[in-house]
Amino acid sequence: MKRTKINILLALEKTPGEIIIKGWVRTRRNSKEFCFMEINDGSCLKNIQIIANKDLENYSDIETITTGTSIAVEGRLVESPGKGQKWEIQVSKIEIINMAQDSYPLQKKRHSDEFLRTIAHLRPRTNKYGAVFRLRSEMAFAIHKFYKEKGFRYLTAPLITGSDAEGAGEMFRVTGLDPEKVKKQGKMDFKEDFFGQESNLTVSGQLSGEMFALALGDVYTFGPTFRAENSNTSRHAAEFWMLEPEMAFCDLKENMDHGEELVKYLTQHAINECHEDMNLFTSFVDKSLPKLFDILLNTEFGRISYTQAIEILLKSKQKFEFPVEYGTDLQSEHERFLAEIYFKKPVFLTDYPKEIKPFYMRMNDDEKTVAAVDLLVPRIGELIGGSQREERLSVLEKRMEEMNLPMEDYWWYLDSRKFGSAPHSGFGLGFERFLMMITGINNIRDVIPFPRTPGSIDF
Ligand code: 4AD
Ligand code: MG
């Protein structure tokens, strides 16, 4: 007989009779005649109760089963007289696969998130983190589903790159050079390196995305990106996942329409498909989540320019740690004020000063601002960053010169503006930030399986 997963069993209308389950013991309680256990196999939040009669031949072992033990259970699925559960299992046989040692750290019902981060290899066995990572898996699927339905192609952009997409210089170097040799030579000779030049881990798949959008039409990348920025905040990770749609013949407004549709779709998908896990977040993590979902699904997102945002911030009586000034990047406190307090809903900010944005953003007619867009959301701040791209070769070249970019390294990028260039737009959505938004979880470390942040790579 094959094992049945607990989520399947719990959804059954009538009993199939004999079944086998395999999973991990969450709790055990002995009475005179029976031993009761709650088993979880990770397929869903809920446990199933099993009842082992003392006639079982290995009952003396069963009585001593510890929390965390892996077992296989054969028995009959029967209606449970207990409250809050439809089914339970009358055991005919228990195989103890591996008895968990007494030092198993997940004995108590509740542990702090900080403690659980120190055992990131075990935390998916708790209710909360099981829910987080089932949701994460489902949302990755939802992204592919959304784009499949819209006729987009999935592009797997390279992770090792020779270019710095964002021009931000916060990249992890990839090298095969021998540190001893480098020390002796007193320098890194990249001509001798694996690729014969400097290479890095990607900070964004955008530039590849642009090339493919100008060939396949609408594309998206969804994969890991890496940033060596030393910002030890609850919203930054050194390795995070980014979704990047890139659309040919698309302007800034259509780009925003797309972003809004995407956020609404993903939120609705989470609510529909992860009902039980989402209930855990609304009950135990953030009770105001249903209100947020209502806003995300049923209101139109705000749309204002960067200039208007600065005016709102300057006029507000709010005390900020960082001063507000035209021409500087918004800090997360400013972004949150706008989304959380002023608009009380997600808001797109557009048309930023060119000085604080990368070279590829399309120059506006004022020649001072570019067709950038960020989506700011309550509690998180920036969820999406994107733009309409500069499709005019001469304008792009001028901008690159002003910014002292090595034009020869970008010859292939510039080619796209010579051979059938077209208006196009796209953005990047931080996958972890989206998960933080819909779970109420406040630290990015708690929505990534094994977080990588400054000074920390334990697993
Ligand atoms: O705004 P960013 O830097 O935009 C880009 O990289 C563009 N090339 C995307 C594009 O147009 N195709 O990053 C996009 C999003 C941010 O809005 C944020 O949600 C997330 O990626 N993000 C991070 N998430 C976690 N940790 C970090 N260190 C992040 N940096 C950016
Ligand atoms: Mg950004």
Side-chain angles (χ1 to χ4, degrees), residues 284-317:
F284 298 109
V285 181
D286 182 351
K287 292 204 161 53
S288 73
L289 281 173
K291 216 174 104 195
L292 173 70
F293 298 150
D294 183 43
I295 292 169
L296 289 175
L297 296 175
N298 301 315
T299 66
E300 253 178 51
F301 297 179
R303 296 183 187 198
I304 57 166
S305 69
Y306 167 89
T307 309
Q308 288 170 309
I310 294 289
E311 279 161 13
I312 292 170
L313 290 167
L314 287 174
K315 273 197 208 128
S316 79
K317 301 262 162 352

Short mmCIF file of all heavy atoms in Angstrom, two decimals, residues 284-317:
data_model
loop_
_atom_site.label_atom_id
_atom_site.label_comp_id
_atom_site.label_asym_id
_atom_site.label_seq_id
_atom_site.Cartn_x
_atom_site.Cartn_y
_atom_site.Cartn_z
N PHE A 284 -2.57 34.72 14.01
CA PHE A 284 -1.45 34.74 14.97
C PHE A 284 -0.33 35.71 14.63
O PHE A 284 0.53 35.98 15.46
CB PHE A 284 -0.85 33.33 15.12
CG PHE A 284 -1.83 32.34 15.67
CD1 PHE A 284 -2.35 31.34 14.86
CD2 PHE A 284 -2.26 32.44 16.98
CE1 PHE A 284 -3.27 30.43 15.36
CE2 PHE A 284 -3.17 31.53 17.50
CZ PHE A 284 -3.68 30.53 16.69
N VAL A 285 -0.26 36.20 13.40
CA VAL A 285 0.86 37.08 13.04
C VAL A 285 0.39 38.54 12.97
O VAL A 285 0.98 39.41 13.59
CB VAL A 285 1.54 36.66 11.72
CG1 VAL A 285 2.71 37.59 11.40
CG2 VAL A 285 2.04 35.22 11.82
N ASP A 286 -0.67 38.79 12.22
CA ASP A 286 -1.13 40.17 12.08
C ASP A 286 -2.64 40.17 11.84
O ASP A 286 -3.10 39.81 10.76
CB ASP A 286 -0.39 40.85 10.92
CG ASP A 286 -0.79 42.32 10.76
OD1 ASP A 286 -1.76 42.76 11.42
OD2 ASP A 286 -0.14 43.01 9.96
N LYS A 287 -3.37 40.61 12.87
CA LYS A 287 -4.83 40.55 12.79
C LYS A 287 -5.42 41.56 11.80
O LYS A 287 -6.58 41.48 11.44
CB LYS A 287 -5.43 40.77 14.18
CG LYS A 287 -5.13 39.64 15.14
CD LYS A 287 -6.17 39.57 16.25
CE LYS A 287 -6.19 38.23 16.95
NZ LYS A 287 -4.91 37.75 17.46
N SER A 288 -4.59 42.52 11.37
CA SER A 288 -5.13 43.52 10.44
C SER A 288 -4.98 43.07 8.97
O SER A 288 -5.33 43.81 8.05
CB SER A 288 -4.43 44.87 10.64
OG SER A 288 -3.11 44.80 10.15
N LEU A 289 -4.48 41.86 8.75
CA LEU A 289 -4.30 41.40 7.36
C LEU A 289 -5.58 41.42 6.51
O LEU A 289 -5.53 41.86 5.36
CB LEU A 289 -3.67 40.01 7.34
CG LEU A 289 -2.15 39.94 7.58
CD1 LEU A 289 -1.70 38.48 7.70
CD2 LEU A 289 -1.37 40.63 6.47
N PRO A 290 -6.72 40.95 7.04
CA PRO A 290 -7.92 40.97 6.19
C PRO A 290 -8.24 42.37 5.65
O PRO A 290 -8.69 42.51 4.51
CB PRO A 290 -9.03 40.48 7.14
CG PRO A 290 -8.30 39.64 8.15
CD PRO A 290 -6.97 40.30 8.34
N LYS A 291 -7.99 43.39 6.49
CA LYS A 291 -8.21 44.76 6.03
C LYS A 291 -7.27 45.10 4.86
O LYS A 291 -7.68 45.70 3.86
CB LYS A 291 -7.96 45.73 7.19
CG LYS A 291 -8.89 46.93 7.19
CD LYS A 291 -8.71 47.78 8.43
CE LYS A 291 -7.94 49.05 8.11
NZ LYS A 291 -7.44 49.74 9.28
N LEU A 292 -6.02 44.68 5.00
CA LEU A 292 -5.04 44.92 3.93
C LEU A 292 -5.48 44.21 2.64
O LEU A 292 -5.43 44.78 1.55
CB LEU A 292 -3.64 44.44 4.35
CG LEU A 292 -2.59 44.48 3.23
CD1 LEU A 292 -2.22 45.92 2.89
CD2 LEU A 292 -1.34 43.69 3.61
N PHE A 293 -5.92 42.95 2.78
CA PHE A 293 -6.34 42.20 1.58
C PHE A 293 -7.50 42.92 0.89
O PHE A 293 -7.56 42.99 -0.33
CB PHE A 293 -6.76 40.77 1.94
CG PHE A 293 -5.65 39.96 2.54
CD1 PHE A 293 -5.90 38.95 3.44
CD2 PHE A 293 -4.32 40.23 2.20
CE1 PHE A 293 -4.87 38.21 4.00
CE2 PHE A 293 -3.29 39.51 2.76
CZ PHE A 293 -3.56 38.49 3.66
N ASP A 294 -8.42 43.44 1.69
CA ASP A 294 -9.54 44.17 1.12
C ASP A 294 -9.04 45.36 0.31
O ASP A 294 -9.49 45.62 -0.80
CB ASP A 294 -10.47 44.62 2.26
CG ASP A 294 -11.70 45.32 1.71
OD1 ASP A 294 -12.26 44.82 0.72
OD2 ASP A 294 -12.08 46.38 2.26
N ILE A 295 -8.06 46.07 0.88
CA ILE A 295 -7.50 47.23 0.18
C ILE A 295 -6.77 46.79 -1.10
O ILE A 295 -6.97 47.36 -2.18
CB ILE A 295 -6.52 47.99 1.10
CG1 ILE A 295 -7.31 48.66 2.24
CG2 ILE A 295 -5.70 49.02 0.32
CD1 ILE A 295 -6.43 49.21 3.34
N LEU A 296 -5.95 45.75 -0.98
CA LEU A 296 -5.18 45.28 -2.14
C LEU A 296 -6.10 44.85 -3.28
O LEU A 296 -5.85 45.14 -4.45
CB LEU A 296 -4.29 44.10 -1.76
CG LEU A 296 -3.09 44.40 -0.86
CD1 LEU A 296 -2.37 43.11 -0.47
CD2 LEU A 296 -2.11 45.34 -1.57
N LEU A 297 -7.19 44.17 -2.91
CA LEU A 297 -8.05 43.59 -3.95
C LEU A 297 -9.08 44.58 -4.49
O LEU A 297 -9.43 44.53 -5.66
CB LEU A 297 -8.79 42.36 -3.39
CG LEU A 297 -7.91 41.18 -3.00
CD1 LEU A 297 -8.75 40.08 -2.36
CD2 LEU A 297 -7.16 40.64 -4.21
N ASN A 298 -9.54 45.49 -3.63
CA ASN A 298 -10.72 46.27 -4.01
C ASN A 298 -10.50 47.77 -4.20
O ASN A 298 -11.45 48.48 -4.51
CB ASN A 298 -11.84 46.04 -2.99
CG ASN A 298 -12.22 44.58 -2.91
OD1 ASN A 298 -12.36 43.92 -3.93
ND2 ASN A 298 -12.33 44.06 -1.70
N THR A 299 -9.30 48.26 -4.00
CA THR A 299 -9.10 49.67 -4.27
C THR A 299 -8.12 49.83 -5.44
O THR A 299 -7.31 48.96 -5.71
CB THR A 299 -8.50 50.44 -3.06
OG1 THR A 299 -7.18 49.96 -2.83
CG2 THR A 299 -9.34 50.27 -1.82
N GLU A 300 -8.25 50.96 -6.11
CA GLU A 300 -7.28 51.29 -7.15
C GLU A 300 -6.04 51.83 -6.46
O GLU A 300 -6.15 52.68 -5.58
CB GLU A 300 -7.86 52.38 -8.05
CG GLU A 300 -8.27 51.91 -9.40
CD GLU A 300 -8.88 53.04 -10.22
OE1 GLU A 300 -8.24 54.10 -10.31
OE2 GLU A 300 -9.98 52.83 -10.73
N PHE A 301 -4.87 51.38 -6.87
CA PHE A 301 -3.64 51.87 -6.25
C PHE A 301 -3.46 53.35 -6.61
O PHE A 301 -3.86 53.79 -7.69
CB PHE A 301 -2.42 51.09 -6.73
CG PHE A 301 -2.44 49.62 -6.35
CD1 PHE A 301 -1.39 48.77 -6.72
CD2 PHE A 301 -3.48 49.08 -5.60
CE1 PHE A 301 -1.39 47.43 -6.37
CE2 PHE A 301 -3.49 47.72 -5.25
CZ PHE A 301 -2.45 46.90 -5.64
N GLY A 302 -2.84 54.11 -5.70
CA GLY A 302 -2.57 55.51 -5.99
C GLY A 302 -1.48 55.66 -7.05
O GLY A 302 -0.67 54.75 -7.27
N ARG A 303 -1.47 56.80 -7.73
CA ARG A 303 -0.43 57.08 -8.73
C ARG A 303 -0.06 58.56 -8.65
O ARG A 303 -0.88 59.42 -8.98
CB ARG A 303 -0.91 56.74 -10.15
CG ARG A 303 -1.18 55.26 -10.32
CD ARG A 303 -1.59 54.89 -11.73
NE ARG A 303 -1.99 53.48 -11.75
CZ ARG A 303 -2.08 52.73 -12.84
NH1 ARG A 303 -1.82 53.25 -14.01
NH2 ARG A 303 -2.45 51.47 -12.76
N ILE A 304 1.14 58.85 -8.18
CA ILE A 304 1.60 60.24 -8.13
C ILE A 304 3.05 60.30 -8.58
O ILE A 304 3.73 59.28 -8.69
CB ILE A 304 1.51 60.83 -6.69
CG1 ILE A 304 2.32 59.98 -5.71
CG2 ILE A 304 0.08 60.96 -6.24
CD1 ILE A 304 2.57 60.66 -4.38
N SER A 305 3.51 61.53 -8.84
CA SER A 305 4.91 61.66 -9.25
C SER A 305 5.79 61.79 -8.01
O SER A 305 5.31 62.11 -6.91
CB SER A 305 5.07 62.91 -10.12
OG SER A 305 4.88 64.06 -9.32
N TYR A 306 7.05 61.55 -8.22
CA TYR A 306 8.04 61.74 -7.15
C TYR A 306 7.94 63.15 -6.59
O TYR A 306 7.96 63.36 -5.38
CB TYR A 306 9.43 61.47 -7.73
CG TYR A 306 10.58 61.92 -6.85
CD1 TYR A 306 11.14 61.08 -5.89
CD2 TYR A 306 11.12 63.20 -7.00
CE1 TYR A 306 12.20 61.50 -5.10
CE2 TYR A 306 12.18 63.64 -6.21
CZ TYR A 306 12.72 62.77 -5.26
OH TYR A 306 13.77 63.20 -4.48
N THR A 307 7.79 64.14 -7.49
CA THR A 307 7.72 65.54 -7.06
C THR A 307 6.53 65.76 -6.14
O THR A 307 6.64 66.41 -5.09
CB THR A 307 7.61 66.45 -8.30
OG1 THR A 307 8.66 66.09 -9.21
CG2 THR A 307 7.75 67.91 -7.93
N GLN A 308 5.39 65.20 -6.53
CA GLN A 308 4.20 65.32 -5.66
C GLN A 308 4.44 64.64 -4.31
O GLN A 308 4.01 65.16 -3.27
CB GLN A 308 2.98 64.70 -6.33
CG GLN A 308 2.46 65.51 -7.51
CD GLN A 308 1.40 64.74 -8.29
OE1 GLN A 308 1.62 63.60 -8.68
NE2 GLN A 308 0.26 65.37 -8.52
N ALA A 309 5.12 63.52 -4.34
CA ALA A 309 5.40 62.79 -3.09
C ALA A 309 6.27 63.65 -2.16
O ALA A 309 6.02 63.72 -0.96
CB ALA A 309 6.10 61.46 -3.39
N ILE A 310 7.25 64.30 -2.74
CA ILE A 310 8.13 65.16 -1.92
C ILE A 310 7.30 66.29 -1.29
O ILE A 310 7.46 66.59 -0.11
CB ILE A 310 9.28 65.74 -2.78
CG1 ILE A 310 10.21 64.62 -3.26
CG2 ILE A 310 10.06 66.82 -2.02
CD1 ILE A 310 11.08 64.00 -2.19
N GLU A 311 6.39 66.86 -2.09
CA GLU A 311 5.54 67.93 -1.55
C GLU A 311 4.69 67.44 -0.38
O GLU A 311 4.59 68.10 0.65
CB GLU A 311 4.63 68.50 -2.64
CG GLU A 311 5.35 69.50 -3.54
CD GLU A 311 4.64 69.74 -4.87
OE1 GLU A 311 3.46 69.32 -5.02
OE2 GLU A 311 5.29 70.32 -5.77
N ILE A 312 4.11 66.25 -0.54
CA ILE A 312 3.29 65.68 0.54
C ILE A 312 4.14 65.48 1.80
O ILE A 312 3.74 65.83 2.90
CB ILE A 312 2.67 64.33 0.10
CG1 ILE A 312 1.64 64.56 -1.01
CG2 ILE A 312 2.05 63.60 1.28
CD1 ILE A 312 1.14 63.30 -1.68
N LEU A 313 5.33 64.95 1.60
CA LEU A 313 6.20 64.66 2.75
C LEU A 313 6.62 65.96 3.44
O LEU A 313 6.65 66.04 4.68
CB LEU A 313 7.43 63.87 2.30
CG LEU A 313 7.16 62.42 1.87
CD1 LEU A 313 8.36 61.83 1.15
CD2 LEU A 313 6.80 61.56 3.08
N LEU A 314 6.94 66.97 2.64
CA LEU A 314 7.38 68.24 3.24
C LEU A 314 6.24 68.90 4.00
O LEU A 314 6.45 69.51 5.05
CB LEU A 314 7.91 69.18 2.15
CG LEU A 314 9.29 68.80 1.57
CD1 LEU A 314 9.65 69.70 0.39
CD2 LEU A 314 10.39 68.86 2.64
N LYS A 315 5.03 68.78 3.45
CA LYS A 315 3.87 69.41 4.11
C LYS A 315 3.41 68.65 5.35
O LYS A 315 2.77 69.22 6.22
CB LYS A 315 2.70 69.49 3.12
CG LYS A 315 2.75 70.75 2.27
CD LYS A 315 1.39 71.01 1.62
CE LYS A 315 1.59 71.77 0.31
NZ LYS A 315 0.90 71.12 -0.83
N SER A 316 3.74 67.35 5.42
CA SER A 316 3.29 66.56 6.57
C SER A 316 4.00 67.04 7.82
O SER A 316 5.12 67.52 7.77
CB SER A 316 3.60 65.07 6.35
OG SER A 316 4.95 64.83 6.62
N LYS A 317 3.32 66.88 8.93
CA LYS A 317 3.93 67.32 10.20
C LYS A 317 4.78 66.20 10.79
O LYS A 317 5.22 66.30 11.93
CB LYS A 317 2.82 67.73 11.18
CG LYS A 317 1.93 68.84 10.67
CD LYS A 317 2.36 70.18 11.22
CE LYS A 317 1.86 71.41 10.51
NZ LYS A 317 1.15 71.36 9.27
#
